[in-house]
Amino acid sequence: MIFAVDLLLRDSIGLVEVGIVLLKVGVAFVLLLLGVMLMIWFERKFISDMQNRIGPNLAGPFGIFQTLADGIKLFFKEDQVPAKADPLVFRLAPYLALVPAFLIFTVVPIGGDFSGGGDGTVTWWGRQTFLQVADPPIGFLIILAMSSMAVYGVLLAGWASGSKYPLFSAIRVSAQMVSYEVALGLSFASVLLMSKSFSTHDIVLSQGGYEWNLWMTGLVPFFIFLLAVTAEMNRPPFDLVEAEQELVGGFHTEYSSLRFALFYLAEFMNVITMSGVIVTLFLGGPEGPEPFPLPGWLWGIFWFCLKMVVFLAVFVWFRATLPRFRYDQLMNLGWKLLIPLSLVWFLALATLQVSDNRDWNDFIVLASIFGGFVLVGLLLKRALKTAAHNPDPDLSAPATAENNVEENAGRNTENNFDIENLKEKDLGGKN
Amino acid sequence: METAVFIVAAIITVLSAFGVILAKNPVHSVLMLMATLFAIAVLFVAQDAHFLAAVQIIVYAGAIVVLFLFVVMLLGVDLAENLRVEPIGGQRPLAIGATVATAVLTILLIIVAASDSSKPESGDLAGITQETGNTGVANLGRVIFTDYVWAFEIIAALLTIGVIGAVLLTRRAKQQEVEEEVVEKEGGQL
């Protein structure tokens, strides 16, 4: 019984078990905080290199303590709550942004003893355990649930600030995150189809022998997932939430001091945890070759970190090279390309699995899958053509939630912004 | 252990449910609703219904409450409602009557259930959890796609129809057609 291995799910729990779990929670938290510190430094250095600058270089060797210095500075800044803010929600929002990022990390297996076909258990003080804080039977769904929780922090921060630009930002983020969650979930489902378990540990085990989901699912779900995750995290090129040319600072315009720092912490924690999730779901987690003998669990951690750093670099690379998407482009990409593609791909994978089980004729199956792709593509093209056949330029952009809001406030696009009107309406104010 | 979890989660559920209806600010109400949903998810986990707990969070807290919040935020929470005006006549006496009736019915049901010495058959549900041992996800899927496949497919169709209907209804008429209508009307008046 695999569940007996997770300490939290055992029937009899003693002091040692509680101690191990507490230790794991503490280590995971410290690791994440340290990771964020290094990640911010890494991002600034990497981007500087790409832009032919030097970047932070004064605090410590290679400027590695720059983040620490920034953190201390923010800590001692004045903590302000705007007069029009909702004080309670305003104070709560940063924590709501932070907690989901950490909770996702708790189900990511960061290592384990897979040497010699092992199942990833390590033994501490006579107790077998995994190198992850918890391995609930629904770990996979917890990742989905918590990434959908992440929207609350931004949404409430934007609303509670009692200011118009943060509110716009909050509206954008909620539409964006709810939209991309669908593509995220569907590409997730393809992984589920291959691994046949909700437990993150089982997902890693099922990819043993280099049968990584990256190629087992045929690459497409991986790329959809990567894009959807970037949008979920509001990272460039999907960082419309913080489009400084349009929205000042976005949802955290009114935040200062430690609460502002918490938003930053949450953002980078998300980058790290989501890279970890990608590695777990698609790249076999801690699996990798062992060129020379070391304790098995050490290799696991090494390969996991190496794969994760690749994705951290990819996210920074995105930021350095890609310009920000326009809002309608973002919605078009999400709804008209990623969602249909991931859905069709999911169905194709399911068909292939069934045909494999039943020994159906490969040629007929592949031909019908191909036919299905073509049919869906043609239908989609036709539907888009019908929808786009619209003489009014205002309507050619999809009627997004934000457009509607702005129409309610008495204007059609953000460009012909009517400040007077805004003052009258005072969208975010509460008094 | 299970009792302790139940007591804590139940207290949070009830208190935050009261918070939903007592909070003056609708956004606070929505937050309280989220707390309620989370506490209920904990209760699900305590009953080994892990899948239900996760779906509760993903569907309700992750999607539906976000939409609640969205609507509440956009409608303007600063509009203080005048409580003296009753949009629906006689709703207050009706609400009080309904509450009392529900309470009486609940108490009656509890008394009947308590006096009924024969334990109710757990039936299918017990079978499901027993067979899978843990999450019941596999069995849930099997049951949905065999015994309840018609109900499942009909609900799926219903939801799809609902979505398409909503899109059709909210889509504005093409500007050109509207203009043509205006021209026609004006022409008629002239």
Side-chain angles (χ1 to χ4, degrees), chain B residues 4 19 31 43 64 70 78 85 89 122 137 147:
Chain B
L31 281 176
L43 286 177
I64 292 178
F70 206 81
D78 45 335
V85 181
S122 321
V137 178
D147 294 355

Side-chain angles (χ1 to χ4, degrees), chain A residues 3 86 89 137-138 141 145 148-149 151-152 155-156 159 167 171 174 198 387 389-392 395 401 405 429-430, chain B residues 25 27-28 31 34 38 50-51 54 58 61-62 65-66 69-70 73-74 77-78 134-135 137 171-172 174-175:
Chain A
F3 290 91
D86 182 322
V89 181
I138 46 155
L141 294 173
S148 66
M149 282 301 101
V151 66
Y152 280 102
L155 189 58
L156 288 170
W159 173 78
L167 186 69
I171 290 159
S174 50
F198 281 128
H389 186 67
N390 216 328
D392 184 5
L395 288 178
V405 179
K430 263 156 291 304
Chain B
N25 191 324
V27 172
H28 294 176
L31 281 176
M34 229 175 75
F38 264 88
H50 297 272
F51 183 72
I58 293 171
V65 177
V66 172
L69 204 56
F70 206 81
M73 274 167 42
L74 297 189
V77 281
D78 45 335
N134 299 303
T135 57
V137 178
R171 219 183 141 74
R172 284 193 305 190
K174 283 178 189 166
Q175 199 67 34

Side-chain angles (χ1 to χ4, degrees), chain B residues 13-159:
Chain B
T13 311
V14 172
L15 285 186
S16 52
F18 271 111
V20 175
I21 49 175
L22 293 179
K24 290 217 168 106
N25 191 324
V27 172
H28 294 176
S29 285
V30 170
L31 281 176
M32 289 291 181
L33 183 61
M34 229 175 75
T36 316
L37 292 171
F38 264 88
I40 292 174
V42 171
L43 286 177
F44 276 137
V45 172
Q47 298 296 317
D48 273 343
H50 297 272
F51 183 72
L52 268 184
V55 169
Q56 161 111 351
I57 302 288
I58 293 171
V59 174
Y60 286 96
I64 292 178
V65 177
V66 172
L67 292 183
F68 279 7
L69 204 56
F70 206 81
V71 172
V72 167
M73 274 167 42
L74 297 189
L75 290 183
V77 281
D78 45 335
L79 301 172
E81 283 198 40
N82 188 352
L83 293 174
R84 287 173 200 285
V85 181
E86 285 195 36
I88 306 164
Q91 60 170 338
R92 275 165 223 217
L94 255 174
I96 292 170
T99 315
V100 172
T102 318
V104 170
L105 266 178
T106 317
I107 292 167
L108 277 179
L109 272 177
I110 291 171
I111 292 170
V112 170
S115 62
D116 194 1
S117 56
S118 63
K119 290 270 175 189
E121 291 288 321
S122 321
D124 289 347
L125 277 174
I128 288 172
T129 39
Q130 228 164 33
E131 255 182 71
T132 49
N134 299 303
T135 57
V137 178
N139 259 36
L140 196 67
R142 198 168 297 131
V143 170
I144 283 178
F145 282 98
T146 51
D147 294 355
Y148 301 105
V149 68
W150 281 112
F152 178 76
E153 295 291 347
I154 288 168
I155 290 170
L158 197 68
L159 290 175

Side-chain angles (χ1 to χ4, degrees), chain A residues 192-304:
Chain A
L192 185 65
L193 212 54
M194 288 294 146
S195 297
K196 300 189 180 69
S197 172
F198 281 128
S199 147
T200 44
H201 182 257
D202 289 354
I203 289 174
V204 169
L205 279 187
S206 76
Q207 301 176 60
Y210 299 102
E211 292 187 338
W212 290 357
N213 282 328
L214 176 62
W215 36 81
M216 295 305 277
T217 56
L219 289 175
V220 173
F222 167 74
F223 286 110
I224 293 173
F225 191 80
L226 193 62
L227 284 178
V229 154
T230 317
E232 280 282 303
M233 294 188 303
N234 307 313
R235 290 273 308 174
F238 304 114
D239 63 335
L240 294 122
V241 174
E242 301 172 36
E244 52 277 61
Q245 295 90 339
E246 302 153 24
L247 297 174
V248 194
F251 64 94
H252 52 51
T253 306
E254 305 288 348
Y255 278 85
S256 63
S257 183
L258 201 58
R259 280 192 266 276
F260 178 74
L262 283 180
F263 275 120
Y264 250 68
L265 197 62
E267 183 186 334
F268 283 91
M269 245 189 206
N270 261 324
V271 176
I272 293 174
T273 48
M274 280 306 177
S275 302
V277 168
I278 294 175
V279 170
T280 306
L281 293 182
F282 290 100
L283 290 165
E287 197 196 9
E290 290 168 30
F292 51 91
L294 269 180
W297 56 273
L298 212 59
W299 277 117
I301 291 178
F302 170 75
W303 285 115
F304 180 83

